[in-house]
Amino acid sequence: MRMTSRELMDRLGVPNELTPYETYPFTIYDAARGLTCSAEVRMGMDKDEIECEIQLVHDTPPVGKPSMELVIWFQIKHSGTTEWETKDARLKNAPIDRTLYNWEEKCCNFFGAVVRFLKMDQIPDMDDLIDDEFHSRERFGGGGAGGGKSPKIKPGQLLGMKKGGF
C-alpha cells in the first residue's frame, strides 16, 4: 500500500500519528446486549510496525462461543518512505485467505469501517461488515452474466414497422 503514515492512520480512524509504543484504543459497551467491542491500533518500538485488532467480549457468551472473540488482527510493516505492507492477518481467528483480491487493503478498510461505527457509539454487525468489505463483488471481477455480441436490430423493428409498408 503506497501511503504515508498519516494516510494510513486516517484509513484506520486514528486522529494522529502514533509514536513508538503508543496505542490508540476504541471501546464501546452495549448494556442491552451485554457486549463490548474494542478496536486497537498499536505502534511498534521503531515506528515501522503497526498491529491492529478488533475483539468482541460477551458478558454472557452465546452457547458454544467463547466469551472473547477475535474479529480481526493484522500486522503492517513499513518498507520504504511511503510503502506499508500488511504482513500477516487473521479474520475470525483463522488465517486470512491470501488469494482474496487486495486482502491487505481490505483489512484496513474493514478496520476503518468498524471504527466509524464505534465513534458513533454503535457496535456493527460484524458478519455483515465482513461480507461488505471482504466478500462483496469486485468492480472489475469476472463471473458476471452478459457480455458477448451485441444483438442485431433492424431499423424497422425499432419503429414498429411491418415489412413492406408504413
Side-chain angles (χ1 to χ4, degrees):
M1 298 180 290
R2 285 189 174 271
M3 61 184 74
T4 65
S5 296
R6 178 68 253 148
E7 291 168 335
L8 180 58
M9 291 298 119
D10 286 342
R11 182 173 280 190
L12 297 173
V14 177
N16 58 293
E17 287 189 53
L18 300 179
T19 58
Y21 292 116
E22 188 176 4
T23 298
Y24 199 89
F26 304 90
T27 303
I28 297 297
Y29 178 68
D30 183 341
R33 294 166 47 190
L35 182 64
T36 301
C37 180
S38 65
E40 188 173 272
V41 178
R42 299 180 291 269
M43 179 63 76
M45 68 178 190
D46 293 325
K47 204 173 176 184
D48 65 349
E49 180 179 296
I50 297 170
E51 284 189 0
C52 302
E53 181 175 64
I54 297 173
Q55 298 177 353
L56 294 175
V57 180
H58 300 273
D59 289 349
T60 306
V63 177
K65 285 192 171 187
S67 61
M68 193 278 296
E69 295 178 61
L70 179 65
V71 178
I72 192 168
W73 169 88
F74 58 101
Q75 180 182 52
I76 307 167
K77 292 200 176 200
H78 197 253
S79 59
T81 56
T82 61
E83 193 74 23
W84 288 90
E85 185 177 358
T86 305
K87 291 290 190 179
D88 197 10
R90 297 183 72 74
L91 184 63
K92 292 198 151 197
N93 214 20
I96 199 159
D97 180 9
R98 300 216 178 178
T99 61
L100 184 66
Y101 173 75
N102 209 12
W103 66 272
E104 300 96 337
E105 288 197 29
K106 288 180 178 188
C107 288
C108 290
N109 294 343
F110 174 74
F111 190 92
V114 171
V115 166
R116 283 190 295 279
F117 275 95
L118 297 180
K119 285 181 176 180
M120 295 185 296
D121 292 329
Q122 298 175 9
I123 298 176
D125 183 316
M126 294 298 175
D127 291 330
D128 286 348
L129 219 48
I130 287 170
D131 284 343
D132 288 349
E133 296 296 335
F134 284 96
H135 304 299
S136 64
R137 292 189 52 175
E138 295 296 326
R139 195 177 309 187
F140 305 109
K149 295 189 332 183
S150 298
K152 297 201 183 223
I153 299 174
K154 297 176 183 166
Q157 291 174 317
L158 293 175
L159 301 173
M161 296 180 187
K162 297 190 181 216
K163 189 174 183 178
F166 290 102

